[in-house]
């Protein structure tokens, strides 16, 4: 069989031969009791860089040892790309949301042998799910593998924005000492109203992590959490996003991108927020109208915007979020720490072992299967039809 892998390019200084740390903690289960991936074996050392071209998700040598053809490319855009040329007879496509191989309906149509698309990580919106269903291609992702990594990044970004870290760091780097320049936009998170759109694996973990900061914690999700959990974390539930927005000093977005949520954060949405709201988005860039966000950062309606997700990816050099004021943007990295890579590459191996040996996939890994949304996908995604 032919496996088409689209990792991100190697570091500019080359694939690392040495790492900052000699090992990473071993994590065996997630909150709620689900186990971390359980492949029969792995062919990499946890803590190594696996998401780049040389790392090749830690599966290349294993697949080749089984006699399969493995094509690894970072050239993914347009009809003349290596990806599109190799796609025509590929059986399996694998790519990470950080550097997505966009599988449009047109690309599904030319991939006549395609059976499986794996999201090496979480978030399968770069695969057109309607088209996947039309062609009965299975879409699977490694649910939970990097959810807690992203939750850590959200807490960090909320603090960075509220405390005015980025501008203060620039002052220090430039040799300055004007405390007032740093302090004039700096606040404490304590006592603020924090709200999350979606309390799934990431959103709920953020609420848990923020509980000791003594905030007011709000949430909206399509499915309400249990009364026990709401009480334990002191959560304020809202029946709609519109109802929640006027309360918030800090808004977090952790819902998937699908037809229902595309472009949700537009000028009308932003106008419903308190002046100076801080917004953290590590979910997907396509959830926002990028120009409306940039404009509101300029006028002060948004006090600061941070996260790691853009559209498209890689983001163009002139993307307004690179230069808009009070931004704490980074490339799409929150879910690809070396710790997260070890889990999602082990989960990818587990999915491929199940595929090759004809076993059912873990239900929580499925997004689309046998022509319809399935598993985690049936719960959190919608399609156009
Ligand atoms: P999850 O456990 O499936 O949670 C997603 C939650 O979003 C579910 O609770 C779902 O509600 C809710 N939801 C769906 N549509 C909604 C809507 N219209 N309004 C409000 N809530 C809605 O997924 P997760 O692990 O938390 O990940 C969430 C998203 O984060 C992913 O889809 C991906 O886009 C993004 N992500 C980013 C990175 C990164 O590196 N930046 C890494 C991983 C994931 P119900 O299930 O109750 O219907």
């Amino acid at each position: 069989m032919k496996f088409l892998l689209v990792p991100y390019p190697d570091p500019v200084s080359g694939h690392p031969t040495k790492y900052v740390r000699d090992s990473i903690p071993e994590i065996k289960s997630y909150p709620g009791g689900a186990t971390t991936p359980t492949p029969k074996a792995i062919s990499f050392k946890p803590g190594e860089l696996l998401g780049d071209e040389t790392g090749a998700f830690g599966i290349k040598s294993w697949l080749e040892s089984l006699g399969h053809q493995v094509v690894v490319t970072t050239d993914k855009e347009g009809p003349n790309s290596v990806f599109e040329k190799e796609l025509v007879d590929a059986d399996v496509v694998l790519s990470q949301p950080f550097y997505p191989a966009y599988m449009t309906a047109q690309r599904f149509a030319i991939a006549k042998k395609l059976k499986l698309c794996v999201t090496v990580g979480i978030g399968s919106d770069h695969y057109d799910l309607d088209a996947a269903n039309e062609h009965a291609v299975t879409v699977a992702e490694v649910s939970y593998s990097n959810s807690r990594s992203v939750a850590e990044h959200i807490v960090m970004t909320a603090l960075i924005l509220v405390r005015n870290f980025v501008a203060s760091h620039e002052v220090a780097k430039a040799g300055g000492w004007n405390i007032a320049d740093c302090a004039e936009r700096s606040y404490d998170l304590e006592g603020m109203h924090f709200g999350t759109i979606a309390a799934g694996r990431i959103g709920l973990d953020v609420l848990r992590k923020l509980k000791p900061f003594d905030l007011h914690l709000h949430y909206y999700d399509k499915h309400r959490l249990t009364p026990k959990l709401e009480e334990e974390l002191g959560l304020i539930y809202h029946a709609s996003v519109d109802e929640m927005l006027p309360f918030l000093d800090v808004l977090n977005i952790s819902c998937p991108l699908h037809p229902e949520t595309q472009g949700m954060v537009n000028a009308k949405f932003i106008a419903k927020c308190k002046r100076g709201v801080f917004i953290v988005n590590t979910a997907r860039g396509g959830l926002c109208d990028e120009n409306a966000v940039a404009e509101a950062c300029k006028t002060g309606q948004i006090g600061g915007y941070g996260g790691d997700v853009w559209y498209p990816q890689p983001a163009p050099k002139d993307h307004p979020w690179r230069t808009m004021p009070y931004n704490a943007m980074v490339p799409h990295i929150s879910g690809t720490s070396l710790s997260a890579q070890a889990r999602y590459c082990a989960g990818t191996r587990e999915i491929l072992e199940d595929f090759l040996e004809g076993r059912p996939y873990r239900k929580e890994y499925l997004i689309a299967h046998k022509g319809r949304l399935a598993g985690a996908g049936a719960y959190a995604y919608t399609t156009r039809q």
Side-chain angles (χ1 to χ4, degrees):
M1 265 195 260
K2 177 171 169 182
F3 292 75
L4 182 51
L5 280 55
V6 187
Y8 41 73
D10 282 5
V12 283
S13 53
H15 185 76
T17 50
K18 208 171 154 221
Y19 292 86
V20 179
R21 306 194 50 83
D22 295 326
S23 64
I24 59 170
E26 194 185 349
I27 291 166
K28 294 199 165 148
S29 63
Y30 304 116
T35 58
T36 50
T38 51
K40 286 184 181 166
I42 52 170
S43 317
F44 59 84
K45 182 169 178 268
E48 287 175 349
L49 184 59
L50 302 167
D52 69 344
E53 190 168 3
T54 302
F57 310 147
I59 53 173
K60 185 168 184 279
S61 58
W62 165 64
L63 287 170
E64 284 174 344
S65 74
L66 296 175
H68 299 295
Q69 183 191 357
V70 181
V71 177
V72 182
T73 182
T74 62
D75 180 23
K76 67 186 181 75
E77 304 300 342
N80 295 321
S81 60
V82 173
F83 175 71
E84 198 152 322
K85 286 182 189 148
E86 296 286 350
L87 182 62
V88 290
D89 60 348
D91 295 281
V92 181
V93 162
L94 300 103
S95 94
Q96 297 160 112
F98 321 105
Y99 191 79
Y102 293 106
M103 279 294 292
T104 56
Q106 174 265 335
R107 281 179 163 178
F108 271 104
I110 61 169
K112 299 281 184 227
K113 290 176 71 182
L114 192 61
K115 298 162 188 66
L116 173 65
C117 288
V118 181
T119 296
V120 184
I122 302 177
S124 296
D125 49 276
H126 58 289
Y127 299 138
D128 183 318
L129 297 179
D130 286 273
N133 287 338
E134 189 186 323
H135 296 279
V137 173
T138 296
V139 176
E141 65 181 41
V142 193
S143 300
Y144 230 144
S145 57
N146 58 12
S147 303
R148 305 197 83 198
S149 324
V150 178
E152 285 189 11
H153 195 97
I154 292 169
V155 172
M156 175 187 79
T157 307
L159 285 164
I160 279 177
L161 290 173
V162 170
R163 303 200 60 85
N164 199 29
F165 176 87
V166 176
S168 307
H169 180 60
E170 292 302 323
V171 168
K173 243 170 60 182
W177 196 259
N178 193 319
I179 306 296
D181 277 341
C182 310
E184 68 170 345
R185 296 183 66 92
S186 174
Y187 299 88
D188 290 351
L189 205 50
E190 183 178 359
M192 284 192 166
H193 287 258
F194 176 98
T196 181
I197 298 180
R201 292 179 179 92
I202 295 175
L204 178 57
D205 199 42
V206 170
L207 293 169
R208 283 188 198 283
K209 284 176 167 37
L210 283 177
K211 169 86 172 127
F213 281 81
D214 291 329
L215 297 146
H216 303 276
L217 296 173
H218 302 248
Y219 82 100
Y220 164 72
D221 194 289
K222 286 166 78 178
H223 299 95
R224 195 165 173 173
L225 299 169
T226 61
K228 187 167 170 278
L229 205 48
E230 285 187 359
E231 197 186 337
E232 184 190 317
L233 298 176
L235 303 180
I236 304 156
Y237 170 74
H238 296 271
S240 70
V241 173
D242 279 3
E243 182 191 296
M244 179 172 75
L245 289 182
F247 288 95
L248 305 184
D249 303 299
V250 185
L251 166 66
N252 171 57
I253 305 172
S254 285
C255 60
L257 175 65
H258 52 111
E260 197 178 273
T261 56
Q262 176 107 31
M264 170 177 78
V265 182
N266 53 24
K268 220 168 121 195
F269 176 108
I270 295 167
K272 289 178 190 150
C273 299
K274 269 191 204 170
R275 192 182 70 83
V277 66
F278 298 101
I279 300 182
V280 182
N281 175 14
T282 60
R284 284 296 177 261
L287 294 163
C288 299
D289 172 339
E290 65 192 37
N291 293 316
V293 167
E295 185 54 30
C297 284
K298 283 186 204 148
T299 63
Q301 176 60 18
I302 293 180
Y305 180 97
D308 67 331
V309 284
W310 313 66
Y311 184 80
Q313 294 189 167
K317 289 244 175 343
D318 62 350
H319 194 293
W321 294 358
R322 290 187 188 268
T323 49
M324 69 188 178
Y326 316 119
N327 86 76
M329 289 301 296
V330 291
H332 194 166
I333 56 156
S334 67
T336 189
S337 58
L338 296 177
S339 324
Q341 290 179 39
R343 286 189 296 276
Y344 69 63
C345 289
T348 297
R349 167 92 176 230
E350 181 182 342
I351 289 167
L352 294 184
E353 285 174 358
D354 289 342
F355 167 70
L356 290 168
E357 293 163 25
R359 276 191 305 274
Y361 303 100
R362 271 205 216 196
K363 195 170 167 227
E364 67 263 33
Y365 289 170
L366 284 175
I367 299 299
H369 191 46
K370 297 187 174 165
R372 54 173 51 180
L373 293 179
Y379 203 63
Y381 284 78
T382 54
T383 50
R384 290 186 296 275
Q385 286 147 18

